[in-house]
Amino acid sequence: MPLIGYARVSTEDQTPLPQSQALKSAGCVEIHEEQASGGDRARPVLARVLERIGKGDTLVVVRIDRLARSLSHLLEVIERLEAKGAFFRSIQDPIDTGSPQGKFTLQVLGAAAEFERALIRERTKAGLASARTKGRVGGNPGLRARDPAALRKVRLARQDGYMERLNETAQDWVPHVRRLRPDLAWEDVVRIINGPLPEARRWTQSRLLRAVNAYVRDGFLPATVLDRAGPRARDDRLPAIVAGIKGADPDITLQAICARLENMRERTPRGRTSWQPSSVKMLLERAKRLGIL
């Protein structure tokens, strides 16, 4: 099983060389290096690695903190790997999802995270109940009085929070929207985006449209992505979808495109559910003739 290494440093003054050497000694066939903050989830190198990693591959890091700074982020990445049939291993930590012991450790970490969230909820409820018995009512006085300035402040804070959450997932959908719209209908764009994502992170069409509208409003995406999709001949639809997948990852293999199409439940030109590389190659050649690749 191919071992794929990921090394990360936080600043330009640091060097990833010791990590890369350790990953090479562990047997990694390829190593990806990145300079980024551990708290930043939108890391382009990590995003490309997670996009290209395939079934049976193992993502390897020297220590857990090189991949994630929070337990929730770590579990999110591992869930994404498991959805693709891939594994995760940390050299200096007892985590290897390819082994029974590593899976057990991961289950313990997940249970600990859920227990911590439950404790926080219980403490919050107890604190609110205690305050109410003493006659204190929670909340913003300005909101209770329907003060326009307070309402506007809360509305802006909610918008900022929403944009922050969108930024954490931008690498999943923004490149696809930028490339595929308005050439493809939203229904097909959503299916292409959801192809490599685990169930918990998949998008609905309405949710994606809301996110795109927010990015257009703030100037992060051009307004043309919201234009109405033009009519497309039925025979051109599959080449357009395959071209969209290939355009988002030029190095993706024919077999990986087959797996993506099967995850999307897209049927072959002959109506079958199992895709072959030869069919994908034919569609890519047709996409080139149509000028969409």
Side-chain angles (χ1 to χ4, degrees):
M1 295 185 294
L3 302 180
I4 300 173
Y6 174 74
R8 182 190 63 80
V9 293
S10 299
T11 65
E12 295 180 354
D13 296 334
Q14 298 172 320
T15 173
L17 183 58
Q19 295 179 57
S20 297
Q21 291 174 338
L23 293 169
K24 185 176 181 181
S25 299
C28 292
V29 295
E30 59 179 273
I31 298 171
H32 302 268
E33 299 177 351
E34 183 163 36
Q35 188 265 306
S37 168
D40 184 6
R41 297 194 180 190
R43 295 178 234 155
V45 174
L46 178 60
R48 286 197 298 271
V49 172
L50 295 177
E51 173 71 21
R52 294 174 56 185
I53 202 165
K55 184 177 182 179
D57 293 346
T58 300
L59 178 64
V60 184
V61 296
V62 175
R63 297 189 312 274
I64 290 177
D65 66 348
R66 296 302 88 197
L67 178 68
R69 285 287 182 86
S70 67
L71 182 56
S72 62
H73 188 205
L74 173 65
L75 295 175
E76 177 184 306
V77 172
I78 293 177
E79 180 184 3
R80 186 169 179 181
L81 291 172
E82 289 183 338
K84 303 183 74 171
F87 306 98
F88 171 72
R89 180 187 303 171
S90 175
I91 297 175
Q92 298 183 11
D93 302 291
I95 294 184
D96 181 353
T97 60
S99 69
Q101 296 87 347
K103 288 183 178 178
F104 175 73
T105 301
L106 187 61
Q107 290 172 350
V108 172
L109 288 175
E114 180 58 33
F115 180 63
E116 182 181 11
R117 288 192 292 269
L119 286 179
I120 292 173
R121 287 195 297 268
E122 290 302 318
R123 285 197 295 264
T124 301
K125 290 179 182 178
L128 291 174
S130 175
R132 282 194 294 270
T133 60
K134 297 177 181 178
R136 295 200 300 268
V137 179
N140 188 313
L143 294 181
R144 292 200 301 271
R146 309 298 296 174
D147 179 65
L151 293 172
R152 181 175 180 276
K153 186 176 181 180
V154 170
R155 185 172 64 252
L156 292 175
R158 287 177 177 173
Q159 290 177 355
D160 289 343
Y162 176 62
M163 293 302 294
E164 185 176 344
R165 293 192 300 274
L166 284 184
N167 292 339
E168 293 177 354
T169 62
Q171 73 275 8
D172 292 339
W173 57 276
V174 169
H176 292 293
V177 170
R178 195 183 297 275
R179 278 190 55 82
L180 302 177
R181 287 290 304 164
D183 294 329
L184 278 185
W186 284 111
E187 178 184 357
D188 292 326
V189 174
V190 171
R191 295 172 70 196
I192 291 174
I193 291 173
N194 286 339
L197 297 179
E199 186 71 29
R201 294 180 58 188
R202 292 182 179 175
W203 294 77
T204 63
Q205 184 170 322
S206 60
R207 182 166 160 252
L208 179 64
L209 281 170
R210 182 188 174 201
V212 171
N213 273 285
Y215 262 45
V216 169
R217 183 191 64 232
D218 286 1
F220 296 133
L221 281 171
T224 52
V225 300
L226 294 173
D227 290 348
R228 186 182 182 87
R232 183 177 294 278
R234 183 176 180 83
D235 292 343
D236 293 349
R237 180 177 170 275
L238 280 176
I241 291 176
V242 173
I245 296 173
K246 180 71 173 177
D249 183 3
D251 297 327
I252 192 171
T253 64
L254 295 177
Q255 191 61 55
I257 295 178
C258 289
R260 184 77 63 81
L261 290 168
E262 289 175 3
N263 287 338
M264 293 167 58
R265 302 185 185 278
E266 192 68 53
R267 290 188 174 273
T268 69
R270 296 184 178 181
R272 298 173 181 171
T273 57
S274 179
W275 282 83
Q276 298 297 324
S278 57
S279 299
V280 173
K281 183 178 180 181
M282 176 190 68
L283 290 173
L284 288 173
E285 291 172 351
R286 178 169 174 76
K288 289 179 181 177
R289 291 196 297 271
L290 292 170
I292 56 178
L293 181 63

Coordinates of all heavy atoms in Angstrom, one line a residue, residues 6 12 19 57 61 67 85 126 155 196 219 267 287:
Y6 N 3.1 13.7 4.7 CA 2.7 15.1 4.7 C 3.5 15.8 5.8 O 3.5 15.3 7.0 CB 1.2 15.3 5.0 CG 0.8 16.7 5.2 CD1 0.7 17.6 4.1 CD2 0.5 17.2 6.4 CE1 0.4 18.9 4.3 CE2 0.1 18.5 6.6 CZ 0.0 19.4 5.6 OH -0.3 20.7 5.8
E12 N 8.4 30.5 7.9 CA 9.5 30.3 6.9 C 10.8 30.1 7.6 O 11.7 29.6 7.0 CB 9.6 31.6 6.1 CG 8.3 31.9 5.2 CD 8.5 33.1 4.4 OE1 9.5 33.8 4.6 OE2 7.6 33.4 3.5
Q19 N 11.2 16.3 9.3 CA 10.0 15.6 9.1 C 10.1 14.8 7.8 O 9.7 13.6 7.8 CB 8.8 16.5 9.0 CG 8.5 17.3 10.3 CD 7.3 18.2 10.1 OE1 6.2 17.8 9.7 NE2 7.5 19.5 10.3
D57 N -4.3 3.7 -0.1 CA -3.2 4.6 0.3 C -3.2 4.9 1.8 O -4.2 4.8 2.4 CB -3.2 5.9 -0.5 CG -3.0 5.7 -2.0 OD1 -2.5 4.6 -2.4 OD2 -3.3 6.6 -2.8
V61 N 2.1 11.1 8.8 CA 2.7 12.3 9.4 C 3.6 11.9 10.5 O 3.5 10.8 11.0 CB 1.6 13.3 9.9 CG1 0.8 13.8 8.8 CG2 0.8 12.6 11.0
L67 N -0.6 17.5 11.3 CA -1.8 17.5 10.5 C -2.9 18.4 11.0 O -3.5 19.1 10.3 CB -2.3 16.0 10.4 CG -3.6 15.8 9.6 CD1 -3.3 16.1 8.1 CD2 -4.1 14.4 9.8
G85 N -11.5 5.0 1.3 CA -10.9 3.7 1.5 C -9.4 3.8 1.8 O -8.6 2.9 1.6
A126 N -26.5 24.3 33.4 CA -26.5 24.5 34.8 C -26.3 26.0 35.1 O -26.9 26.6 36.0 CB -25.5 23.7 35.5
R155 N -26.6 40.9 13.5 CA -26.8 40.4 12.1 C -25.4 40.4 11.4 O -25.1 39.4 10.7 CB -27.7 41.3 11.3 CG -28.0 40.8 9.9 CD -29.0 41.6 9.2 NE -28.7 43.0 9.0 CZ -29.2 44.0 9.7 NH1 -30.1 43.8 10.6 NH2 -28.8 45.3 9.5
P196 N -16.0 13.4 -3.9 CA -14.9 12.9 -3.0 C -15.2 13.2 -1.6 O -14.3 12.8 -0.7 CB -13.7 13.7 -3.5 CG -14.3 15.0 -3.9 CD -15.7 14.7 -4.5
G219 N -17.4 39.5 -3.4 CA -16.4 39.7 -4.4 C -15.4 38.5 -4.5 O -14.4 38.7 -5.3
R267 N -24.3 7.1 -14.6 CA -24.4 5.9 -15.5 C -23.5 6.1 -16.7 O -23.3 7.3 -17.2 CB -25.8 5.6 -15.9 CG -26.6 5.0 -14.7 CD -28.0 4.5 -15.2 NE -28.7 3.9 -14.1 CZ -28.6 2.6 -13.8 NH1 -27.7 1.8 -14.5 NH2 -29.3 2.1 -12.8
A287 N -14.6 15.6 -25.0 CA -14.6 17.0 -24.4 C -13.6 17.9 -25.1 O -13.8 19.1 -25.3 CB -14.3 16.8 -22.9

